[in-house]
Amino acid sequence: MVSPAGHFHKQVLPFEPPWWFQQVARDPLFVWTDLTEKDLQSLRQFGLGSPNSAAILQKAATQSLSRTDSQQGIELDLYVQTLRQGKGMSLTDKQVSALFSLVKTVHTQAVLQRLTIDKSFDCFKQALLRHSVHRPPYSLGLFTLVQAQAITQWFLRTYYMHYKLYQYAFTNRVSCNVSSAHPGDAVELPLQLLPLREADTEEQHQSSVETQQKQEEAAAAKAAEEKTAQDEIDRQQRIKDSFDAQMPDEISQKVQAALQKEMERLQLVMSAQFAKQEAVLKKRVTELEQKAVAAGVQLQ
C-alpha cells in the first residue's frame, strides 16, 4: 500500500497462517526434489552401471556431511537398487523420482539422528503415506495402495533387513594408539663401534641401505594386498551371513498382513482428520469474508 505522502507500508494479515501451511513447510512433498525428468532420461540412456549414471546419482545424493569412498559406494548401490525397483514396478518418472527422494530422506535421517529401526520405520511409513493419500497441499496421491504395499515389502527385505549393517558402515571411527615404555628403556647405551677393518665402505653401506628400503617397501605392499583381500573376504562373509539370517516366510506373511491392516487404518484416520480440518478452515474463511463484507471491503 502507498500512503498519500508516497511511503510504502507493509500489509499485515488479520489472522495467522493456517495449520496446513505450517505442515507443508515442515514436511515438503517429494515432487521432482532430487531427480528431474531430464536426469531419469539420461539414466535410461547411459544405463545404471555406467560412470555417467554414477555421477548423476552422486550429484542427486549430495549431502552436507562428508562421506568416505566406501560410504559413497554403499549409498550409490542403495540408490541403484531403488531405481531398479521402480523400473520393476513399472512406475512413472514422477513416482520414481519421489521414491528416490523418499529412500534418500529416510536413510539420511537414520544416519544423522542415529534412529532405532522402529523409529526409522515410523518415519518411512509417514513419508510413504503422505504420498499415497491425495489431500493437497499436505499430501499427494502418487502411489496406489498396492504400490505402497509393494514398496514397503521391498524396503523391508533390502534396507531394514540390513539396517544394523548400514548403521555400522556410517558410524564415524575414532582410533586411539596407546604405547607403553619402561623407565629403563630411556637409559642411553654407548654405541658399539666395529673395528675399522670390519667396517663397510661408503658404496657398500649405501647399497645395503637401498636394499633394506626395497625389502621394507615390498613387505608393506604385500601386507596391504593381504589386508585388502582379507577385508573383501570378510565383507562377502558378512553379506552371506545377513542373507542366511533372513526372516522365515511365516513371519513375513504376518508382517505383511499387519502392515496392510495398519495402512488401511491410517488412511481412514488421516482422511477423517483432513475432512474435519478442511471444514474448520472453510468455516474460518467464510467468517472472514462476512466480516470483510460487513466492513465494506470488496474481496478480489
Side-chain angles (χ1 to χ4, degrees):
M1 298 179 61
V2 182
S3 64
H7 299 289
F8 290 90
H9 297 280
K10 183 177 180 181
Q11 187 175 5
V12 181
L13 295 177
F15 57 92
E16 293 293 330
W19 67 270
W20 55 263
F21 182 84
Q22 301 176 5
Q23 180 179 353
V24 170
R26 184 178 67 254
D27 299 324
L29 299 175
F30 303 138
V31 180
W32 304 116
T33 304
D34 299 298
L35 286 179
T36 63
E37 189 174 6
K38 183 179 179 181
D39 292 335
L40 293 174
Q41 292 176 358
S42 300
L43 290 173
R44 284 193 294 267
Q45 179 182 358
F46 296 130
L48 294 179
S50 65
N52 294 330
S53 297
I56 295 174
L57 293 178
Q58 287 178 356
K59 181 180 179 181
T62 300
Q63 300 289 340
S64 59
L65 296 179
S66 60
R67 293 280 192 264
T68 62
D69 294 339
S70 60
Q71 291 173 347
Q72 290 179 359
I74 294 173
E75 283 188 339
L76 182 61
D77 182 71
L78 174 62
Y79 298 143
V80 169
Q81 292 181 21
T82 302
L83 296 180
R84 287 176 177 169
Q85 177 66 16
K87 181 180 179 181
M89 294 177 58
S90 301
L91 300 180
T92 63
D93 288 351
K94 191 174 184 180
Q95 291 174 329
V96 172
S97 177
L99 179 61
F100 179 90
S101 300
L102 189 149
V103 172
K104 171 187 172 182
T105 301
V106 171
H107 171 65
T108 303
Q109 289 179 349
V111 172
L112 293 181
Q113 303 177 18
R114 311 302 302 173
L115 299 178
T116 62
I117 188 170
D118 294 334
K119 291 184 179 180
S120 178
F121 187 61
D122 289 340
C123 295
F124 167 77
K125 289 191 297 183
Q126 292 296 331
L128 181 58
L129 190 62
R130 204 166 62 246
H131 295 79
S132 302
V133 179
H134 193 67
R135 284 287 183 176
Y138 25 80
S139 67
L140 189 63
L142 283 177
F143 303 108
T144 64
L145 178 60
V146 176
Q147 290 174 339
Q149 291 175 347
I151 291 172
T152 303
Q153 290 301 316
W154 163 74
F155 213 49
L156 282 173
R157 292 193 310 268
T158 56
Y159 187 79
Y160 287 112
M161 182 65 71
H162 310 92
Y163 188 78
K164 289 186 177 180
L165 289 177
Y166 279 105
Q167 291 290 311
Y168 174 81
F170 288 87
T171 300
N172 295 327
R173 305 298 192 272
V174 178
S175 300
C176 180
N177 297 325
V178 179
S179 60
S180 61
H182 192 272
D185 297 339
V187 179
E188 295 184 0
L189 300 177
L191 180 62
Q192 298 292 333
L193 299 178
L194 296 176
L196 292 179
R197 62 176 179 272
E198 299 179 4
D200 296 336
T201 62
E202 182 67 22
E203 291 78 6
Q204 292 175 343
H205 175 70
Q206 188 66 26
S207 176
S208 176
V209 171
E210 293 177 356
T211 302
Q212 184 178 0
Q213 289 179 351
K214 291 180 180 180
Q215 291 177 352
E216 292 176 354
E217 293 175 357
K222 183 178 180 181
E225 292 177 358
E226 293 177 352
K227 184 178 182 303
T228 303
Q230 185 63 36
D231 292 343
E232 180 64 21
I233 294 174
D234 294 341
R235 186 184 69 85
Q236 294 179 0
Q237 185 64 34
R238 288 196 301 269
I239 294 176
K240 181 179 180 300
D241 294 341
S242 64
F243 276 108
D244 293 340
Q246 290 183 355
M247 65 177 64
D249 295 338
E250 182 181 357
I251 297 178
S252 179
Q253 293 175 0
K254 290 183 179 180
V255 171
Q256 183 176 3
L259 178 63
Q260 181 178 0
K261 184 177 180 181
E262 181 68 15
M263 289 283 290
E264 294 175 355
R265 187 189 69 81
L266 289 176
Q267 282 186 334
L268 293 176
V269 172
M270 288 189 66
S271 298
Q273 291 179 351
F274 290 154
K276 181 179 178 181
Q277 293 164 348
E278 186 176 3
V280 173
L281 181 61
K282 288 183 178 180
K283 181 179 179 182
R284 178 61 177 167
V285 172
T286 303
E287 292 177 355
L288 291 175
E289 290 178 351
Q290 293 176 355
K291 291 182 181 180
V293 172
V297 178
Q298 185 178 2
L299 299 177
Q300 296 294 333

